[in-house]
Amino acid sequence: RLRALNRLQVILQHLKMSKQTDSTAEVLLEKKGGAGIITLNRPKALNALNLSMIQQIYPQIKTWEQDPETFLIIIKGAGEKAFCAGGDIRAITAAGKVGDKLSQDFFRGEYRLNNAVGTCKKPYVALIDGITMGGGVGVSVHGHFRVATEKTVFAMPETAIGLFPDVGGGYFLPRLSGKIGYYLALTGCRLKGRDVLKAGIATHFVESEKLPALEKDLIALKSPSKEKIADLLNSYHMKCKIDQEKEFVLDEHMEKINSIFSANSMEEIVEKLKQDGSPFAMKQLETINKMSPTSLKLTLRQLREGASMSLQEVLRMEYRLSQACMKGHDFYEGVRAVLIDKDQSPKWKPAALEEVSDEFVDNCFKPLGNDDLKL
């Protein structure tokens, strides 16, 4: 019987390993050569992250970090359209409405994963081909290398659904040049292709069709250092001529963006946009007027405070904000209007910036005691 039991354990162990590379699994975790490879595998859902994916990826990164035979970690998305379009917002909404623990567990797990990426001791290469938004930014932007392609579409569109640009947005956005990060966070503006590199979000730019070759070359590197990996990425980057001559889409507006978005309050930003009156300013005003006033105020403060915090401090702050949003009104209303009914006309409460009090905003940032995020 003992032998039968042992055999059963061997079989189970084997099944566990094969489950990881089963093409129906939501995330594939494989070791090839000296590389650990994470493939987000929900192409129909644009590779949106759910809690079970997060719970598989986190321990695997930690394991590879300790493994002397793993020299780098690569993360990519399955399918043609997306690297990762964000977190599984519908599941969180459903849970939050009934006070289910998922609305805590999801953010806690996701932010711990973001921190694992940001502190990873092994070189971490994200191939951000296709749509990369929200949660997809969180599992890429904090790593050492982010390779964009002509298909990359970046955005942090959270203010449109009553949330805020989380997953460490409070850390990386205010560190982009000038006030680009504030502009991207508050308006949800989308950047495409080479502009994702020019904004400082990606570190390299490579043709989408060259990614399989790049991945193969990364896997083939023999016990590579971070420098060797950088050299390989640079060589691909240098060869890519797509949109090389094109000027950065925000270049002509940078002066305005820097002056308008350096204001101290949302009301002041709106006032400055009105005073400016240019077509660009009016377009931003129109966009901002559609966003959740509560989200806008939380976001502006999140970025201003995050500018001088460590990634860990930012993620703790963002966890507090996430739980405040789960208790509020706008997140559920935003998800309803944008993702469920798709009528695109959310009824925000409060409906105007002036009605979102400083006291309310302060409360959202308060420590949660024993419930605070532990990293």
Side-chain angles (χ1 to χ4, degrees), residues 153-166:
V153 182
F154 162 93
M156 293 301 275
E158 289 80 5
T159 54
I161 55 163
L163 210 53
F164 56 96
D166 63 338

Side-chain angles (χ1 to χ4, degrees), residues 299-312:
T299 300
L300 183 60
R301 174 148 166 201
Q302 168 207 3
L303 266 55
R304 292 181 56 131
E305 296 208 357
S308 57
M309 286 178 169
S310 68
L311 177 59
Q312 290 69 38

Side-chain angles (χ1 to χ4, degrees), residues 10-31 37 39 41 50-53 55-57 59-60:
V10 169
I11 292 167
L12 285 173
Q13 188 57 37
H14 180 71
L15 282 173
K16 203 167 140 199
M17 283 309 293
S18 66
K19 184 182 120 238
Q20 300 299 322
T21 51
D22 161 17
S23 60
T24 59
E26 295 177 317
V27 59
L28 310 177
L29 304 164
E30 303 163 272
K31 184 76 195 298
I37 299 174
T39 309
N41 193 34
N50 59 28
L51 185 58
S52 97
M53 292 161 80
Q55 287 170 338
Q56 291 173 68
I57 298 167
Q60 188 61 73

